[in-house]
Amino acid sequence: MDTAETSESASRPPTEGSGQTLPRFAVVDIETSGLSTRWHRILQVAVVTVDGGEIVDEWSSLVRLRWPLQRVGPRRVHGISRRRLRGAPRQFDVLTELATRLDGTVFTAHNVRFDWPFIERAARRSRVSVTPEHRLCTLRLSRSLDPDRELSHRLGDVCERYGISNDRPHDALHDARATAAALPHLLAEHHVTSAEGLTALYERR
């Protein structure tokens, strides 16, 4: 599987000891062949692990197609071709690795309601148990700071507000890095400094 080196180039807000009492976050992003969990498939998965307010690990993998001519969807968006996916790991292997990386973490994504159903359905198809205890949505965190909906809460716009750069949007690893960089800012805006403070912010099952 493809791996990536840890990067600490993204900006982070100044915090006072908040990292020591917060849980470990697995910031996840996926690229898919479309928007339907029924008809479309995951093409790329990335996880950026945040512990103590710092990125401590990164991982990403493409996902092999089930058959050679399976559609990959809007290449102009994600830039992933069928050729790139031919030698990629099988979905079962990718999800098994993902499950390991999610163990003991808070599953975090910018729009959990998109990413999680794709992962859940793929895991069910592959008979892999992927069951994070809690899920946290940075999109919802950002929107709740703007009750009058005066701002855009797309990942790129959230990053711009916090001075975070993402030079490869719609690449799963780069988007996961950007989300991980935005996370401490959003937690600080919500005055979250401990695991207990996250309870009301978790996604409902």
Side-chain angles (χ1 to χ4, degrees):
M1 294 185 186
D2 297 339
T3 57
E5 296 296 326
T6 298
S7 170
E8 297 185 5
S9 59
S11 66
R12 295 184 176 86
T15 56
E16 298 181 3
S18 62
Q20 298 306 313
T21 56
L22 287 170
R24 193 174 176 95
F25 299 92
V27 183
V28 178
D29 192 80
I30 62 174
E31 295 301 323
T32 67
S33 60
L35 302 178
S36 169
T37 56
R38 181 177 181 183
W39 300 111
H40 301 122
R41 298 293 185 268
I42 296 172
L43 306 178
Q44 184 187 23
V45 182
V47 181
V48 172
T49 306
V50 176
D51 196 11
E54 299 290 330
I55 292 174
V56 297
D57 188 58
E58 297 180 340
W59 166 82
S60 69
S61 179
L62 296 172
V63 183
R64 188 187 306 173
L65 296 175
R66 294 177 65 192
W67 54 86
L69 297 181
Q70 183 176 348
R71 293 184 178 182
V72 296
R75 285 187 58 189
R76 68 186 182 281
V77 176
H78 53 58
I80 300 172
S81 65
R82 283 196 293 268
R83 177 176 293 182
R84 284 184 63 194
L85 299 175
R86 285 175 187 166
R90 298 176 304 155
Q91 181 173 269
F92 173 84
D93 296 323
V94 174
L95 290 170
T96 299
E97 177 69 17
L98 176 63
T100 298
R101 290 175 176 273
L102 294 181
D103 186 40
T105 70
V106 175
F107 178 97
T108 306
H110 198 75
N111 197 357
V112 164
R113 293 182 182 182
F114 176 82
D115 294 64
W116 177 247
F118 266 98
I119 291 171
E120 187 177 42
R121 190 175 180 91
R124 189 163 57 246
R125 288 192 186 109
S126 298
R127 298 183 180 180
V128 175
S129 177
V130 182
T131 55
E133 183 176 359
H134 298 296
R135 300 191 299 273
L136 184 69
C137 182
T138 54
L139 174 62
R140 191 163 74 89
L141 291 182
S142 183
R143 283 176 174 168
S144 64
L145 295 168
D146 176 34
D148 295 328
R149 294 293 190 272
E150 297 177 346
L151 303 171
S152 167
H153 299 280
R154 294 167 49 195
L155 179 58
D157 295 314
V158 172
C159 287
E160 184 176 352
R161 285 198 287 276
Y162 293 123
I164 298 164
S165 63
N166 181 5
D167 57 0
R168 290 181 59 189
H170 300 296
D171 173 89
L173 181 57
H174 284 75
D175 283 349
R177 284 174 179 165
T179 303
L183 177 62
H185 293 273
L186 292 167
L187 294 180
E189 295 249 33
H190 280 275
H191 309 290
V192 173
T193 58
S194 67
E196 290 76 13
L198 285 167
T199 302
L201 301 176
Y202 288 140
E203 292 292 292
R204 296 179 180 177
R205 297 188 178 276

